[in-house]
Amino acid sequence: MLIERPRRNRKSAWVRDAVRETWVAPRHFIYPLFIHDGSGDHDIGSMPGCARLSLDGLWREAEGALADGVGAIVLFPAVDESLKSPLGEESFNDEGLVQRAIRGLKQRFAELTVVTDVALDPYSADGHDGIVSADGRVLNDETVEVLRLQALSQARAGADIISPSDMMDGRVGAIREALDSDGFTEVSILAYTAKYASAFYGPFRDALDSAPKFGDKKTYQMDPGNGREALRETELDVSEGADMVMVKPAGPFLDVIRRVREATVLPVAAYQVSGEYAMLKAASQNGWLDERKTVLESLYGIRRAGADIILTYYARQAARWLSGAT
Ligand code: PBG
């Protein structure tokens, strides 16, 4: 009797490489960077290896990323407490930190793709992604008006891809309309389509001091128990004009990545978030996991699930590992 022997296709490095179904390369990565308006780079306790960068630090890191083959970065600002307000007006200040960072990057590195985050949490005195009413509700349509201004200000500064992470209803269509009517028809929208109310964002909020001052984000971010609902969000973002859609976090939501992949022909991105980074980093630093192997395996898993693009704090490191360097 013929025995099926799948092991023959695993018997040598050559055959394993030749039949591998998924590949991961630096071109798939977007590298998230934290910036602040002071001097020096400040380590982030819960994200060893990541820092809040000064603008000089940002230029250095962007140059290094390009040298490693990572051609896209996404910016997150740590905004001075004195500039935070209930309406988050600093978000659309053309001389704000993010706007200056975009201009500086585009001047120095014409080939770098600059992605920006649209949401009010770094700018909000309440630490929420939207405007908060007197009775503590996050107001949808009023927030969308500010997000339009924020997106336009980022576009004027030279952003290539605008990425709304706020989860307000209707914001993708509103931002597309605002960009088009101001002539920014070439600026893309990467929508945070299925963004969950996740505890894995903890270290990110430490990095930016942006944790909500009260309550949580469950009235706008999705319930981690839901998968079907991601398809509804996908349908909406596609119909409102998104160029790419995103699932976030990545690791705990691989099934959602797969379902979104099958529901749209648009490119799908996935965000390996701060808490996923912190877990891999902490276990590696303790000697409990092999960092290189587990990180690459996590990235293969995200790509295998169906993501075209991965936002990951490991972007530079993984790019170096993949190229066979350290
Ligand atoms: C803010 C935003 C968050 C992240 C990206 N954009 C935090 C949040 O929604 O509270 C999280 C990224 C990460 O954890 O790495 N709108």
Side-chain angles (χ1 to χ4, degrees), residues 247-262:
V247 175
K248 173 186 178 189
F253 296 92
L254 294 177
D255 59 318
V256 178
I257 297 175
R258 165 56 49 186
R259 289 172 80 170
V260 169
R261 163 72 292 148
E262 285 168 1

Side-chain angles (χ1 to χ4, degrees), residues 32-35 74-78 98 117 165 192 204 208 271 313:
L33 292 174
F34 303 108
I35 52 177
V74 56
L75 295 173
F76 294 103
V98 163
D117 193 75
S165 70
Y192 283 69
F204 175 98
L208 296 188
Y271 199 144
Y313 300 96

